[in-house]
Amino acid sequence: MIHTGLVLEGGGMRGLYTAGVLDFFLEKDLIFDYVIGVSAGASNATSYISRQKGRNKVVNTAFVDDWRYMSLKSLVKKGSLFGLDFLFDEIPNRKVPFDYETFFSSPITFKIGVTDCITGKPLYFDKEDLDKKLTVLQASVSLPLVSPIVKFKGYHLLDGGITDPIPVCQAMADGYPKNIIVLTRNRGYQKEPVSRPLSLLLEKKYREYPNLVKAMLNRYQIYNETLDYIEELEQKGQTVVIRPSKKLEVDRFEKNADKLLALHAQGCKDAAAVYDRINSIIEG
């Protein structure tokens, strides 16, 4: 395995881009010994660790028209826009089998970023903390307003992208100064502050979690500061950043399978374009 960190941003259905990058890595047998991700990034990492090339492409395109996958009907009936039972039980156990054995026996260190709703701080769980329902992973993909808070080991958890959207600092704290970072936004993207109407909605919805509300309102600053830091790391030659080279035509809740497949292909292509640079980082 390669002693370099792999850092994966979230982004909902934009995660098809990450899936394409990871499939290219599997094709080239680029297996990193440390992977950290949040939200869709963490979810995509599982099939990379289980070495199931192409699995995430199937999972994220074959069921987009099924209401149990993602729909307002699911939000009304199940309390979550994304059908968590469907995603983490029906699909991996019956429809597109997940190789639990290879995943759990892998020597790769896998960190899943989540948000502690009580403290408003990020938490990181290890692969060993995952149960068969992948509860921590469910928490990491549970988006505010459209997903329920996940309770696990006494914690109240939501989307890891709220408090540490691109967890490169955690990777470095864990002993990985060199990292490959996969982003799901184009170069030059900057996150905007939350609008006043949305901030009022968040304050009302999560009035029992004032630290969570504060974190969500400050998220844009954390995100933009992290991007600035990543740019510094790029200039120092400590990281290779893979990001969409073309303007994104896919949003967080995209259901157009053709667009999603095109985004996956773009991820493969963009990863191939920096393959030599990745090898330079690895060998440096």
Side-chain angles (χ1 to χ4, degrees):
M1 290 193 300
I2 301 163
H3 186 64
T4 301
L6 178 58
V7 179
L8 307 175
E9 183 183 10
M13 299 306 287
R14 294 193 303 272
L16 260 293
Y17 180 82
T18 302
V21 172
L22 297 181
D23 280 345
F24 175 81
F25 287 171
L26 288 173
E27 180 182 318
K28 294 296 185 180
D29 200 30
L30 290 174
I31 306 299
F32 301 91
D33 64 0
Y34 175 97
V35 181
I36 185 168
V38 298
S39 198
S43 184
N44 277 306
T46 58
S47 293
Y48 170 76
I49 295 170
S50 66
R51 307 236 185 162
Q52 291 178 274
K53 181 177 177 289
R55 181 178 180 274
N56 282 325
K57 179 171 71 170
V58 174
V59 168
N60 289 289
T61 58
F63 306 104
V64 287
D65 291 326
D66 191 315
W67 74 267
R68 296 171 298 172
Y69 180 87
M70 177 179 63
S71 66
L72 292 176
K73 182 177 179 180
S74 175
L75 181 61
V76 172
K77 293 191 67 171
K78 301 288 186 176
S80 177
L81 186 70
F82 289 92
L84 298 180
D85 289 341
F86 188 67
L87 285 169
F88 293 98
D89 180 16
E90 181 71 18
I91 289 178
N93 292 318
R94 285 172 284 282
K95 294 188 176 295
V96 190
F98 178 62
D99 189 344
Y100 290 95
E101 183 177 355
T102 298
F103 174 79
F104 282 110
S105 64
S106 171
I108 294 173
T109 297
F110 179 35
K111 298 271 188 174
I112 305 106
V114 295
T115 293
D116 183 333
C117 297
I118 295 174
T119 66
K121 302 292 183 182
L123 284 175
Y124 308 93
F125 287 94
D126 297 314
K127 177 157 54 74
E128 291 71 25
D129 293 308
L130 289 170
D131 52 21
K132 276 285 188 175
K133 293 182 179 180
L134 305 178
T135 304
V136 170
L137 203 58
Q138 292 189 41
S140 191
V141 303
S142 291
L143 302 175
L145 299 178
V146 295
S147 300
I149 289 173
V150 175
K151 295 181 180 179
F152 181 72
K153 292 187 176 181
Y155 293 105
H156 294 192
L157 306 172
L158 272 179
D159 173 30
I162 297 169
T163 48
D164 195 5
I166 312 167
V168 62
C169 290
Q170 185 61 38
M172 298 181 78
D174 287 337
Y176 286 82
K178 297 189 300 182
N179 291 280
I180 309 302
I181 303 174
V182 183
L183 304 180
T184 55
R185 291 286 194 179
N186 301 98
R187 182 180 292 277
Y189 173 80
Q190 290 279 291
K191 192 166 289 295
E192 298 292 333
V194 173
S195 67
R196 182 59 179 162
L198 181 55
S199 69
L200 291 173
L201 180 59
L202 292 170
E203 289 167 3
K204 182 178 179 180
K205 172 74 173 179
Y206 299 108
R207 56 185 175 274
E208 297 179 12
Y209 301 96
N211 291 323
L212 172 65
V213 173
K214 183 178 179 181
M216 289 191 285
L217 297 182
N218 291 336
R219 181 174 182 257
Y220 79 99
Q221 292 179 315
I222 296 170
Y223 187 89
N224 294 339
E225 288 170 3
T226 303
L227 286 179
D228 290 342
Y229 181 57
I230 287 172
E231 187 172 342
E232 291 178 17
L233 294 176
E234 276 190 285
Q235 292 173 355
K236 293 177 182 177
Q238 287 182 246
T239 186
V240 173
V241 178
I242 306 173
R243 51 163 62 89
S245 57
K246 295 181 180 179
K247 185 177 179 180
L248 284 174
E249 296 184 1
V250 169
D251 62 31
R252 181 180 289 274
F253 304 119
E254 183 64 62
K255 297 191 73 172
N256 184 309
D258 290 336
K259 288 184 178 181
L260 293 169
L261 289 170
L263 186 60
H264 178 275
Q266 186 180 337
C268 292
K269 183 177 180 181
D270 289 348
V274 296
Y275 181 54
D276 289 342
R277 288 174 54 204
I278 291 172
N279 282 324
S280 296
I281 285 278
I282 292 168
E283 296 166 2

